Amino acid sequence: MPSYDLAVVGAGILGLAHAYAAAKRGKSVVVIDRDAQANGASVRNFGFVTVTGQGAGDCWTMARRAREVWAETAGRAGIEIVQRGMVLASRFEESEAVIDAFLGTEMGEGCTRLTAEAAQDHIACLRADAARASLYSPHEIRVESRTAIPLLARFLEEQHGVRFLRNTAVTAVESPRIETARGVIEAEAVVVCPGDDFTGLFAERIAAYNVTRCKLQMLRVQPVKPVTLKTAVMSDLGLGRYLGYADLPEAAPLKQRLDTELKAERENGIHLIVTQSADGSLVVGDSHHYAATPDPFASDDVDALMLGEFDRVLDLPGRVVTERWLGTYASAPDRWRFTDKPSDSVRIVIVTAGCGASTAFGIGEETINDLFGSVA
């Protein structure tokens, strides 16, 4: 019977982060996943490792640590960092107070306020009237999720000896015994990272956290003429949604204005993020709709709202949508993550917000320290 120090159930970014944290400490690790390849939220997002704007407290702290690990690991894993930094361009007067207030917090360290002209040095196609004031952050990095997650898994397998069991369902966990479709495995400790699968392992424990699912729509846009975005781009809608800004008292007037002037966008949970891939295409999104079982259909009206904000911010006439897709992730009304403890040797870890790629490495280290003891 195969035996390991750690078994990780789930090979999304959160599962891989736990495997990495344990493997770096010399632990023997197996990762078990029901799919043949990465297929969930971890490969359907922007690959935008976001620090600035994450909620104050441990979300921001975890994002800072995760960003460090991404930066340290990407090159060794063959993962290209295709963009660095972020420009949040704002056109509303009320946004200026939010930007200034944010810069006055510890989370604003290293960030600066830009004029429209300075913002255009980063984003040449940025409309001047969309950048009355802009927030620049140097902290963000962007990877291509669809290739980064498989490359990270290969790095763990080839460089750290992590074993992967793909196309393998886990039917029961009673540490040290893990029952799988391929037979029984033993592990000293188990971390279950089920993403938004709430009806499988430990369903009754997960249900206690009042989790649901969030569905998002995303697009790939091809500019007619080549354009270079030196950083990722966001807009006023981000100030009204990302909790690092939106929870500031100064954000209240802006949110009121957004609710009035961009009512449909707010009702559909839309905020603009634009990142650029190595081939020059732009990843654009996203929207947020919540349900226990979201419908699988994409709305053209929602896409039109996202593209409307895109066109208000960036001057790219003739741009063409070349790809559309849906994603889902776990969501909870009162927390951005949770770690549940069925026993001394088992943890259930779920990120209940759209910041898994931005925080997973920090969370993984926390869990492994809890299970195996902190490293001095």
Side-chain angles (χ1 to χ4, degrees), residues 18-40:
H18 282 83
Y20 188 32
K24 284 195 294 184
R25 296 176 58 164
K27 302 297 182 182
S28 59
V29 181
V30 61
V31 177
I32 312 163
D33 195 273
R34 63 187 177 186
D35 289 325
Q37 62 188 23
N39 188 53

Side-chain angles (χ1 to χ4, degrees), residues 151-278:
L151 285 170
L152 180 59
R154 188 177 73 181
F155 168 71
L156 294 178
E157 186 172 34
E158 295 180 353
Q159 300 298 319
H160 290 276
V162 174
R163 184 184 180 193
F164 282 83
L165 294 180
R166 303 280 188 179
N167 257 343
T168 303
V170 176
T171 56
V173 173
E174 295 180 10
S175 181
R177 183 182 175 92
I178 302 110
E179 296 183 10
T180 82
R182 296 193 189 189
V184 175
I185 291 172
E186 286 193 348
E188 177 186 342
V190 184
V191 177
V192 179
C193 301
D196 66 348
D197 178 5
F198 311 140
T199 58
L201 298 172
F202 301 107
E204 71 291 345
R205 299 189 71 92
I206 294 172
Y209 293 90
N210 195 26
V211 289
T212 189
R213 291 182 176 87
C214 177
K215 180 183 84 170
L216 52 88
Q217 293 184 202
M218 296 182 66
L219 309 163
R220 187 173 296 276
V221 170
Q222 185 66 53
V224 172
K225 297 180 181 179
V227 62
T228 298
L229 275 60
K230 295 180 182 177
T231 74
V233 181
M234 298 180 69
S235 76
D236 303 79
L237 286 165
L239 292 175
R241 184 171 180 87
Y242 271 57
L243 297 182
Y245 318 118
D247 280 350
L248 295 170
E250 291 82 0
L254 172 64
K255 290 187 285 187
Q256 185 175 15
R257 182 170 183 179
L258 294 174
D259 287 342
T260 300
E261 297 188 20
L262 295 174
K263 184 173 184 290
E265 287 82 355
R266 292 277 280 174
E267 289 176 346
N268 286 279
I270 290 171
H271 65 98
L272 182 71
I273 303 177
V274 182
T275 61
Q276 187 164 37
S277 296

Side-chain angles (χ1 to χ4, degrees), residues 34-315:
R34 63 187 177 186
D35 289 325
Q37 62 188 23
N39 188 53
S42 296
V43 294
R44 301 189 196 189
N45 60 32
F46 295 94
F48 184 37
V49 181
T50 313
V51 176
T52 304
Q54 300 293 0
D58 78 325
C59 187
W60 178 71
T61 301
M62 288 292 176
R64 290 183 71 191
R65 175 56 187 156
R67 190 266 183 208
E68 292 175 356
V69 178
W70 272 111
E72 294 166 0
T73 306
R76 285 181 281 165
I79 298 169
E80 181 184 5
I81 295 177
V82 292
Q83 285 180 294
R84 295 180 184 270
M86 179 271 293
V87 168
L88 192 156
S90 68
R91 59 189 182 272
F92 296 137
E93 180 181 0
E94 292 84 351
S95 296
E96 296 186 58
V98 183
I99 292 172
D100 289 342
F102 177 80
L103 289 171
T105 70
E106 67 171 339
M107 297 182 294
E109 180 183 357
C111 301
T112 55
R113 176 171 163 168
L114 303 179
T115 63
E117 184 178 8
Q120 287 171 327
D121 287 340
H122 296 279
I123 310 294
C125 58
L126 181 65
R127 295 183 183 274
D129 59 0
R132 175 187 181 120
S134 293
L135 174 69
Y136 169 73
S137 167
H139 303 305
E140 282 59 47
I141 60 175
R142 198 258 166 171
V143 300
E144 194 70 60
S145 294
R146 297 185 193 188
T147 55
I149 298 303
L151 285 170
L152 180 59
R154 188 177 73 181
F155 168 71
L156 294 178
E157 186 172 34
E158 295 180 353
Q159 300 298 319
H160 290 276
V162 174
R163 184 184 180 193
F164 282 83
L165 294 180
R166 303 280 188 179
N167 257 343
T168 303
V170 176
T171 56
V173 173
E174 295 180 10
S175 181
R177 183 182 175 92
I178 302 110
E179 296 183 10
T180 82
R182 296 193 189 189
V184 175
I185 291 172
E186 286 193 348
E188 177 186 342
V190 184
V191 177
V192 179
C193 301
D196 66 348
D197 178 5
F198 311 140
T199 58
L201 298 172
F202 301 107
E204 71 291 345
R205 299 189 71 92
I206 294 172
Y209 293 90
N210 195 26
V211 289
T212 189
R213 291 182 176 87
C214 177
K215 180 183 84 170
L216 52 88
Q217 293 184 202
M218 296 182 66
L219 309 163
R220 187 173 296 276
V221 170
Q222 185 66 53
V224 172
K225 297 180 181 179
V227 62
T228 298
L229 275 60
K230 295 180 182 177
T231 74
V233 181
M234 298 180 69
S235 76
D236 303 79
L237 286 165
L239 292 175
R241 184 171 180 87
Y242 271 57
L243 297 182
Y245 318 118
D247 280 350
L248 295 170
E250 291 82 0
L254 172 64
K255 290 187 285 187
Q256 185 175 15
R257 182 170 183 179
L258 294 174
D259 287 342
T260 300
E261 297 188 20
L262 295 174
K263 184 173 184 290
E265 287 82 355
R266 292 277 280 174
E267 289 176 346
N268 286 279
I270 290 171
H271 65 98
L272 182 71
I273 303 177
V274 182
T275 61
Q276 187 164 37
S277 296
D279 65 0
S281 65
L282 308 177
V283 180
V284 180
D286 56 357
S287 58
H288 300 80
H289 297 91
Y290 301 89
T293 303
D295 69 68
F297 307 109
S299 163
D300 190 57
D301 289 342
V302 171
D303 284 353
L305 289 171
M306 293 191 295
L307 290 169
E309 181 71 358
F310 175 93
D311 290 334
R312 286 187 286 269
V313 174
L314 300 177
D315 185 14

Side-chain angles (χ1 to χ4, degrees), residues 329-345:
Y329 61 76
S331 180
D334 59 348
R335 68 192 71 231
W336 71 272
R337 61 150 173 158
F338 67 84
T339 298
D340 190 77
K341 184 178 176 180
S343 70
D344 288 344
S345 59

